[in-house]
Structure formats: C-alpha cells, structure tokens
Amino acid sequence: MAFVPMLERIRYDGAYPTRERAAQALYAVLEALGPQLADAERMELAARLPVEAARTLTARRPGVRPRTSWDFVQDVAARTGGTPATARWDTGAVLLTVARLAGPDLVDRIIDGLPAGYGLLFGRTGLSRAA
C-alpha cells in the first residue's frame, strides 16, 4: 500500500476530517510504537509499510523494556496534545491499518513481545494472539 492510500484508510477508520489529522495520528502512534518493538519485528514491520511510515517507525532505537499499553496510550496523548481517550482512538485507527499491512503472523509476534493489553490496541478482541 502506498502512503496516501494508507492515510485515507486511517482517515476513514478514525473518522478524521482531514488527511492531515490522520497523518498526525499515524506519526504519533508510530513514533511511540517503534521503541517498543524488538529489532527483528520492527524491521520486518517497517518493510511492510510505506517508506514515509517506515522511517517514523524506525527513527528511534528500542527501549530497555516496553511500556504498558496504558503508558503507550498516554505517550500518544502527549505527542498529539490530546486526551487519553482521543489517543486511544488514534491508536486504534492507526494500528488497525498497520495490522492489515503487517499480516496476522507478524502481529502475533509483535503482540507476544509486548506487555498485556496491546492486542486490543491492534484491534484484536483478545489480549494476545489471534484465534
């Protein structure tokens, strides 16, 4: 998927009024997500994203220990200047599209490497692996 169609998908899923607002959500979520992922999964995910999104995802090295899903949402809120509720919305809209591009196997590995709760952020009805 090219970058503009990715933004349009996020705009549709997030019910954002403009492509610019969808891009703001995309960049905030990917900036927060990149350091949470192990190098192998981060690079594999980056290879499945448009270049503009991949650069944002890989801009920072992984942290020592991934944040909880709640801390992740608060990080997104701080990046966008929004509330935790709007950041949770942004996270869901972006990660739903990212999950579609990544595919279920990679998403399973990503979720398995993160603390509990990230499954819901990726649009999974459970807290971890796909059924």
Side-chain angles (χ1 to χ4, degrees):
M1 177 181 285
F3 188 65
V4 171
M6 181 184 192
L7 284 180
E8 285 300 321
R9 183 78 239 176
I10 293 167
R11 181 179 176 192
Y12 177 81
D13 289 343
Y16 297 118
T18 65
R19 190 180 298 156
E20 291 74 24
R21 178 61 185 95
Q24 178 190 20
L26 173 67
Y27 290 131
V29 171
L30 293 182
E31 285 171 359
L33 181 64
Q36 305 305 303
L37 303 179
D39 273 334
E41 284 77 20
R42 188 167 56 100
M43 290 302 155
E44 189 174 343
L45 178 57
R48 297 180 188 194
L49 297 177
V51 172
E52 300 87 343
R55 282 189 198 125
T56 302
L57 181 73
T58 60
R60 292 181 33 212
R61 302 285 302 166
V64 175
R65 186 171 50 165
R67 295 175 163 191
T68 67
S69 58
W70 173 244
D71 288 340
F72 177 81
V73 169
Q74 289 181 319
D75 184 15
V76 172
R79 291 170 190 277
T80 62
T83 66
T86 59
R88 173 59 184 92
W89 184 269
D90 292 343
T91 300
V94 170
L95 292 183
L96 185 61
T97 298
V98 167
R100 286 183 189 123
L101 294 172
D105 292 339
L106 178 54
V107 173
D108 282 345
R109 285 187 281 131
I110 289 170
I111 291 169
D112 284 348
L114 295 169
Y118 277 85
L120 291 173
L121 298 179
F122 277 90
R124 298 282 176 85
T125 56
L127 294 178
S128 60
R129 296 181 75 79

